[in-house]
PDB file of all heavy atoms in Angstrom:
ATOM      1  N   VAL A  61     -40.499 -44.605-210.133  1.00 93.00           N
ATOM      2  CA  VAL A  61     -40.033 -45.416-211.271  1.00 93.00           C
ATOM      3  C   VAL A  61     -40.600 -44.911-212.589  1.00 93.00           C
ATOM      4  O   VAL A  61     -40.079 -45.261-213.668  1.00 93.00           O
ATOM      5  CB  VAL A  61     -40.437 -46.895-211.052  1.00 93.00           C
ATOM      6  CG1 VAL A  61     -39.765 -47.442-209.816  1.00 93.00           C
ATOM      7  CG2 VAL A  61     -41.947 -47.059-210.971  1.00 93.00           C
ATOM      8  N   ASN A  62     -41.634 -44.075-212.558  1.00 91.00           N
ATOM      9  CA  ASN A  62     -42.222 -43.524-213.777  1.00 91.00           C
ATOM     10  C   ASN A  62     -41.965 -42.033-213.938  1.00 91.00           C
ATOM     11  O   ASN A  62     -42.451 -41.426-214.913  1.00 91.00           O
ATOM     12  CB  ASN A  62     -43.736 -43.757-213.782  1.00 91.00           C
ATOM     13  CG  ASN A  62     -44.097 -45.217-213.959  1.00 91.00           C
ATOM     14  OD1 ASN A  62     -43.700 -45.845-214.942  1.00 91.00           O
ATOM     15  ND2 ASN A  62     -44.829 -45.770-213.006  1.00 91.00           N
ATOM     16  N   CYS A  63     -41.224 -41.422-212.984  1.00 92.00           N
ATOM     17  CA  CYS A  63     -40.986 -39.976-213.036  1.00 92.00           C
ATOM     18  C   CYS A  63     -40.061 -39.640-214.214  1.00 92.00           C
ATOM     19  O   CYS A  63     -39.086 -40.349-214.499  1.00 92.00           O
ATOM     20  CB  CYS A  63     -40.365 -39.517-211.725  1.00 92.00           C
ATOM     21  SG  CYS A  63     -40.062 -37.730-211.651  1.00 92.00           S
ATOM     22  N   GLU A  64     -40.380 -38.543-214.885  1.00 90.00           N
ATOM     23  CA  GLU A  64     -39.559 -38.106-216.019  1.00 90.00           C
ATOM     24  C   GLU A  64     -38.300 -37.381-215.565  1.00 90.00           C
ATOM     25  O   GLU A  64     -37.297 -37.385-216.296  1.00 90.00           O
ATOM     26  CB  GLU A  64     -40.400 -37.186-216.914  1.00 90.00           C
ATOM     27  CG  GLU A  64     -41.632 -37.878-217.492  1.00 90.00           C
ATOM     28  CD  GLU A  64     -42.500 -36.922-218.287  1.00 90.00           C
ATOM     29  OE1 GLU A  64     -42.076 -35.734-218.447  1.00 90.00           O
ATOM     30  OE2 GLU A  64     -43.582 -37.335-218.762  1.00 90.00           O
ATOM     31  N   HIS A  65     -38.310 -36.801-214.384  1.00 89.00           N
ATOM     32  CA  HIS A  65     -37.145 -36.062-213.894  1.00 89.00           C
ATOM     33  C   HIS A  65     -36.924 -36.405-212.410  1.00 89.00           C
ATOM     34  O   HIS A  65     -37.137 -35.553-211.530  1.00 89.00           O
ATOM     35  CB  HIS A  65     -37.344 -34.550-214.060  1.00 89.00           C
ATOM     36  CG  HIS A  65     -37.767 -34.148-215.437  1.00 89.00           C
ATOM     37  ND1 HIS A  65     -36.917 -34.180-216.523  1.00 89.00           N
ATOM     38  CD2 HIS A  65     -38.980 -33.702-215.920  1.00 89.00           C
ATOM     39  CE1 HIS A  65     -37.552 -33.768-217.610  1.00 89.00           C
ATOM     40  NE2 HIS A  65     -38.823 -33.481-217.267  1.00 89.00           N
ATOM     41  N   PRO A  66     -36.497 -37.607-212.084  1.00 89.00           N
ATOM     42  CA  PRO A  66     -36.292 -37.955-210.669  1.00 89.00           C
ATOM     43  C   PRO A  66     -35.128 -37.163-210.075  1.00 89.00           C
ATOM     44  O   PRO A  66     -34.160 -36.814-210.766  1.00 89.00           O
ATOM     45  CB  PRO A  66     -35.997 -39.463-210.719  1.00 89.00           C
ATOM     46  CG  PRO A  66     -35.481 -39.702-212.091  1.00 89.00           C
ATOM     47  CD  PRO A  66     -36.167 -38.722-212.993  1.00 89.00           C
ATOM     48  N   VAL A  67     -35.232 -36.900-208.762  1.00 89.00           N
ATOM     49  CA  VAL A  67     -34.223 -36.125-208.034  1.00 89.00           C
ATOM     50  C   VAL A  67     -33.642 -37.025-206.939  1.00 89.00           C
ATOM     51  O   VAL A  67     -34.275 -37.242-205.904  1.00 89.00           O
ATOM     52  CB  VAL A  67     -34.841 -34.853-207.423  1.00 89.00           C
ATOM     53  CG1 VAL A  67     -33.759 -34.041-206.701  1.00 89.00           C
ATOM     54  CG2 VAL A  67     -35.524 -34.024-208.486  1.00 89.00           C
ATOM     55  N   ASP A  68     -32.428 -37.556-207.200  1.00 90.00           N
ATOM     56  CA  ASP A  68     -31.744 -38.428-206.237  1.00 90.00           C
ATOM     57  C   ASP A  68     -32.632 -39.589-205.791  1.00 90.00           C
ATOM     58  O   ASP A  68     -32.689 -39.945-204.614  1.00 90.00           O
ATOM     59  CB  ASP A  68     -31.288 -37.635-205.006  1.00 90.00           C
ATOM     60  CG  ASP A  68     -30.242 -36.590-205.371  1.00 90.00           C
ATOM     61  OD1 ASP A  68     -29.510 -36.820-206.355  1.00 90.00           O
ATOM     62  OD2 ASP A  68     -30.173 -35.568-204.678  1.00 90.00           O
ATOM     63  N   GLY A  69     -33.364 -40.168-206.705  1.00 90.00           N
ATOM     64  CA  GLY A  69     -34.227 -41.296-206.391  1.00 90.00           C
ATOM     65  C   GLY A  69     -35.618 -40.912-205.938  1.00 90.00           C
ATOM     66  O   GLY A  69     -36.476 -41.795-205.792  1.00 90.00           O
ATOM     67  N   ASN A  70     -35.889 -39.637-205.728  1.00 92.00           N
ATOM     68  CA  ASN A  70     -37.212 -39.154-205.324  1.00 92.00           C
ATOM     69  C   ASN A  70     -37.988 -38.695-206.553  1.00 92.00           C
ATOM     70  O   ASN A  70     -37.408 -38.174-207.520  1.00 92.00           O
ATOM     71  CB  ASN A  70     -37.089 -37.981-204.349  1.00 92.00           C
ATOM     72  CG  ASN A  70     -36.630 -38.416-202.980  1.00 92.00           C
ATOM     73  OD1 ASN A  70     -37.228 -39.307-202.377  1.00 92.00           O
ATOM     74  ND2 ASN A  70     -35.546 -37.814-202.485  1.00 92.00           N
ATOM     75  N   PRO A  71     -39.295 -38.851-206.556  1.00 92.00           N
ATOM     76  CA  PRO A  71     -40.081 -38.307-207.671  1.00 92.00           C
ATOM     77  C   PRO A  71     -40.119 -36.783-207.603  1.00 92.00           C
ATOM     78  O   PRO A  71     -40.093 -36.185-206.516  1.00 92.00           O
ATOM     79  CB  PRO A  71     -41.457 -38.925-207.458  1.00 92.00           C
ATOM     80  CG  PRO A  71     -41.527 -39.190-205.992  1.00 92.00           C
ATOM     81  CD  PRO A  71     -40.131 -39.546-205.572  1.00 92.00           C
ATOM     82  N   CYS A  72     -40.206 -36.153-208.753  1.00 92.00           N
ATOM     83  CA  CYS A  72     -40.234 -34.695-208.773  1.00 92.00           C
ATOM     84  C   CYS A  72     -41.602 -34.153-208.398  1.00 92.00           C
ATOM     85  O   CYS A  72     -41.722 -32.987-207.986  1.00 92.00           O
ATOM     86  CB  CYS A  72     -39.814 -34.183-210.152  1.00 92.00           C
ATOM     87  SG  CYS A  72     -41.005 -34.604-211.472  1.00 92.00           S
ATOM     88  N   ASN A  73     -42.651 -34.953-208.570  1.00 89.00           N
ATOM     89  CA  ASN A  73     -44.028 -34.554-208.245  1.00 89.00           C
ATOM     90  C   ASN A  73     -44.492 -33.327-209.039  1.00 89.00           C
ATOM     91  O   ASN A  73     -45.387 -32.599-208.618  1.00 89.00           O
ATOM     92  CB  ASN A  73     -44.190 -34.277-206.750  1.00 89.00           C
ATOM     93  CG  ASN A  73     -43.996 -35.518-205.912  1.00 89.00           C
ATOM     94  OD1 ASN A  73     -44.489 -36.597-206.257  1.00 89.00           O
ATOM     95  ND2 ASN A  73     -43.255 -35.378-204.819  1.00 89.00           N
ATOM     96  N   ALA A  74     -43.844 -33.092-210.204  1.00 90.00           N
ATOM     97  CA  ALA A  74     -44.223 -31.951-211.037  1.00 90.00           C
ATOM     98  C   ALA A  74     -44.443 -32.353-212.486  1.00 90.00           C
ATOM     99  O   ALA A  74     -45.113 -31.631-213.228  1.00 90.00           O
ATOM    100  CB  ALA A  74     -43.151 -30.854-210.957  1.00 90.00           C
ATOM    101  N   CYS A  75     -43.888 -33.469-212.907  1.00 91.00           N
ATOM    102  CA  CYS A  75     -44.040 -33.903-214.297  1.00 91.00           C
ATOM    103  C   CYS A  75     -45.425 -34.482-214.520  1.00 91.00           C
ATOM    104  O   CYS A  75     -46.138 -34.816-213.560  1.00 91.00           O
ATOM    105  CB  CYS A  75     -42.950 -34.912-214.652  1.00 91.00           C
ATOM    106  SG  CYS A  75     -43.078 -36.469-213.725  1.00 91.00           S
ATOM    107  N   PRO A  76     -45.865 -34.610-215.774  1.00 91.00           N
ATOM    108  CA  PRO A  76     -47.207 -35.163-216.038  1.00 91.00           C
ATOM    109  C   PRO A  76     -47.398 -36.568-215.482  1.00 91.00           C
ATOM    110  O   PRO A  76     -48.498 -36.919-215.030  1.00 91.00           O
ATOM    111  CB  PRO A  76     -47.307 -35.135-217.561  1.00 91.00           C
ATOM    112  CG  PRO A  76     -46.360 -34.064-217.987  1.00 91.00           C
ATOM    113  CD  PRO A  76     -45.226 -34.093-217.005  1.00 91.00           C
ATOM    114  N   ALA A  77     -46.334 -37.388-215.477  1.00 91.00           N
ATOM    115  CA  ALA A  77     -46.466 -38.751-214.962  1.00 91.00           C
ATOM    116  C   ALA A  77     -46.750 -38.737-213.457  1.00 91.00           C
ATOM    117  O   ALA A  77     -47.651 -39.447-212.968  1.00 91.00           O
ATOM    118  CB  ALA A  77     -45.197 -39.547-215.260  1.00 91.00           C
ATOM    119  N   CYS A  78     -45.981 -37.932-212.710  1.00 91.00           N
ATOM    120  CA  CYS A  78     -46.195 -37.858-211.256  1.00 91.00           C
ATOM    121  C   CYS A  78     -47.568 -37.291-210.936  1.00 91.00           C
ATOM    122  O   CYS A  78     -48.283 -37.822-210.060  1.00 91.00           O
ATOM    123  CB  CYS A  78     -45.106 -37.009-210.617  1.00 91.00           C
ATOM    124  SG  CYS A  78     -43.451 -37.752-210.647  1.00 91.00           S
ATOM    125  N   LEU A  79     -47.956 -36.232-211.626  1.00 92.00           N
ATOM    126  CA  LEU A  79     -49.253 -35.622-211.340  1.00 92.00           C
ATOM    127  C   LEU A  79     -50.399 -36.555-211.719  1.00 92.00           C
ATOM    128  O   LEU A  79     -51.418 -36.635-211.011  1.00 92.00           O
ATOM    129  CB  LEU A  79     -49.364 -34.300-212.098  1.00 92.00           C
ATOM    130  CG  LEU A  79     -48.386 -33.192-211.662  1.00 92.00           C
ATOM    131  CD1 LEU A  79     -48.543 -31.949-212.546  1.00 92.00           C
ATOM    132  CD2 LEU A  79     -48.612 -32.838-210.207  1.00 92.00           C
ATOM    133  N   GLY A  80     -50.259 -37.265-212.840  1.00 91.00           N
ATOM    134  CA  GLY A  80     -51.322 -38.171-213.264  1.00 91.00           C
ATOM    135  C   GLY A  80     -51.463 -39.368-212.324  1.00 91.00           C
ATOM    136  O   GLY A  80     -52.582 -39.801-212.025  1.00 91.00           O
ATOM    137  N   ILE A  81     -50.342 -39.905-211.849  1.00 90.00           N
ATOM    138  CA  ILE A  81     -50.404 -41.036-210.920  1.00 90.00           C
ATOM    139  C   ILE A  81     -50.995 -40.592-209.581  1.00 90.00           C
ATOM    140  O   ILE A  81     -51.818 -41.294-208.982  1.00 90.00           O
ATOM    141  CB  ILE A  81     -48.999 -41.644-210.728  1.00 90.00           C
ATOM    142  CG1 ILE A  81     -48.519 -42.276-212.043  1.00 90.00           C
ATOM    143  CG2 ILE A  81     -49.007 -42.672-209.606  1.00 90.00           C
ATOM    144  CD1 ILE A  81     -47.080 -42.758-211.984  1.00 90.00           C
ATOM    145  N   GLU A  82     -50.604 -39.393-209.145  1.00 89.00           N
ATOM    146  CA  GLU A  82     -51.097 -38.911-207.847  1.00 89.00           C
ATOM    147  C   GLU A  82     -52.584 -38.621-207.880  1.00 89.00           C
ATOM    148  O   GLU A  82     -53.295 -38.855-206.894  1.00 89.00           O
ATOM    149  CB  GLU A  82     -50.306 -37.672-207.444  1.00 89.00           C
ATOM    150  CG  GLU A  82     -50.561 -37.221-206.027  1.00 89.00           C
ATOM    151  CD  GLU A  82     -49.602 -36.105-205.618  1.00 89.00           C
ATOM    152  OE1 GLU A  82     -48.940 -35.526-206.497  1.00 89.00           O
ATOM    153  OE2 GLU A  82     -49.539 -35.817-204.409  1.00 89.00           O
ATOM    154  N   SER A  83     -53.073 -38.145-208.999  1.00 88.00           N
ATOM    155  CA  SER A  83     -54.508 -37.832-209.104  1.00 88.00           C
ATOM    156  C   SER A  83     -55.349 -39.042-209.482  1.00 88.00           C
ATOM    157  O   SER A  83     -56.580 -38.987-209.400  1.00 88.00           O
ATOM    158  CB  SER A  83     -54.720 -36.721-210.142  1.00 88.00           C
ATOM    159  OG  SER A  83     -54.307 -37.161-211.436  1.00 88.00           O
ATOM    160  N   GLY A  84     -54.732 -40.119-209.926  1.00 85.00           N
ATOM    161  CA  GLY A  84     -55.465 -41.306-210.333  1.00 85.00           C
ATOM    162  C   GLY A  84     -55.904 -41.295-211.768  1.00 85.00           C
ATOM    163  O   GLY A  84     -56.681 -42.180-212.178  1.00 85.00           O
ATOM    164  N   ALA A  85     -55.417 -40.342-212.555  1.00 88.00           N
ATOM    165  CA  ALA A  85     -55.824 -40.255-213.959  1.00 88.00           C
ATOM    166  C   ALA A  85     -55.135 -41.298-214.820  1.00 88.00           C
ATOM    167  O   ALA A  85     -55.658 -41.694-215.865  1.00 88.00           O
ATOM    168  CB  ALA A  85     -55.539 -38.848-214.508  1.00 88.00           C
ATOM    169  N   ILE A  86     -53.944 -41.737-214.441  1.00 88.00           N
ATOM    170  CA  ILE A  86     -53.206 -42.744-215.204  1.00 88.00           C
ATOM    171  C   ILE A  86     -53.579 -44.111-214.665  1.00 88.00           C
ATOM    172  O   ILE A  86     -53.307 -44.447-213.506  1.00 88.00           O
ATOM    173  CB  ILE A  86     -51.685 -42.495-215.105  1.00 88.00           C
ATOM    174  CG1 ILE A  86     -51.337 -41.143-215.748  1.00 88.00           C
ATOM    175  CG2 ILE A  86     -50.910 -43.623-215.772  1.00 88.00           C
ATOM    176  CD1 ILE A  86     -49.867 -40.793-215.685  1.00 88.00           C
ATOM    177  N   LEU A  87     -54.192 -44.913-215.513  1.00 87.00           N
ATOM    178  CA  LEU A  87     -54.698 -46.212-215.069  1.00 87.00           C
ATOM    179  C   LEU A  87     -53.656 -47.305-215.120  1.00 87.00           C
ATOM    180  O   LEU A  87     -53.956 -48.456-214.763  1.00 87.00           O
ATOM    181  CB  LEU A  87     -55.899 -46.617-215.947  1.00 87.00           C
ATOM    182  CG  LEU A  87     -57.080 -45.641-215.936  1.00 87.00           C
ATOM    183  CD1 LEU A  87     -58.200 -46.151-216.827  1.00 87.00           C
ATOM    184  CD2 LEU A  87     -57.580 -45.442-214.513  1.00 87.00           C
ATOM    185  N   ASP A  88     -52.461 -46.978-215.579  1.00 88.00           N
ATOM    186  CA  ASP A  88     -51.398 -47.990-215.581  1.00 88.00           C
ATOM    187  C   ASP A  88     -50.864 -48.255-214.176  1.00 88.00           C
ATOM    188  O   ASP A  88     -50.184 -49.262-213.974  1.00 88.00           O
ATOM    189  CB  ASP A  88     -50.250 -47.534-216.486  1.00 88.00           C
ATOM    190  CG  ASP A  88     -50.691 -47.458-217.944  1.00 88.00           C
ATOM    191  OD1 ASP A  88     -51.464 -48.342-218.350  1.00 88.00           O
ATOM    192  OD2 ASP A  88     -50.266 -46.526-218.649  1.00 88.00           O
ATOM    193  N   VAL A  89     -51.109 -47.385-213.237  1.00 90.00           N
ATOM    194  CA  VAL A  89     -50.747 -47.587-211.836  1.00 90.00           C
ATOM    195  C   VAL A  89     -52.043 -47.781-211.076  1.00 90.00           C
ATOM    196  O   VAL A  89     -52.865 -46.868-210.978  1.00 90.00           O
ATOM    197  CB  VAL A  89     -49.946 -46.396-211.272  1.00 90.00           C
ATOM    198  CG1 VAL A  89     -49.655 -46.600-209.794  1.00 90.00           C
ATOM    199  CG2 VAL A  89     -48.647 -46.220-212.048  1.00 90.00           C
ATOM    200  N   LEU A  90     -52.218 -48.989-210.569  1.00 89.00           N
ATOM    201  CA  LEU A  90     -53.498 -49.359-209.975  1.00 89.00           C
ATOM    202  C   LEU A  90     -53.276 -49.848-208.548  1.00 89.00           C
ATOM    203  O   LEU A  90     -52.371 -50.652-208.284  1.00 89.00           O
ATOM    204  CB  LEU A  90     -54.164 -50.466-210.806  1.00 89.00           C
ATOM    205  CG  LEU A  90     -55.562 -50.903-210.385  1.00 89.00           C
ATOM    206  CD1 LEU A  90     -56.542 -49.742-210.505  1.00 89.00           C
ATOM    207  CD2 LEU A  90     -56.027 -52.083-211.237  1.00 89.00           C
TER     208      LEU A  90
END
Side-chain angles (χ1 to χ4, degrees):
V61 297
N62 290 303
C63 182
E64 299 176 4
H65 309 288
V67 182
D68 296 332
N70 287 307
C72 67
N73 295 317
C75 65
C78 291
L79 294 177
I81 294 173
E82 190 172 14
S83 63
I86 296 179
L87 301 180
D88 295 322
V89 177
L90 184 62

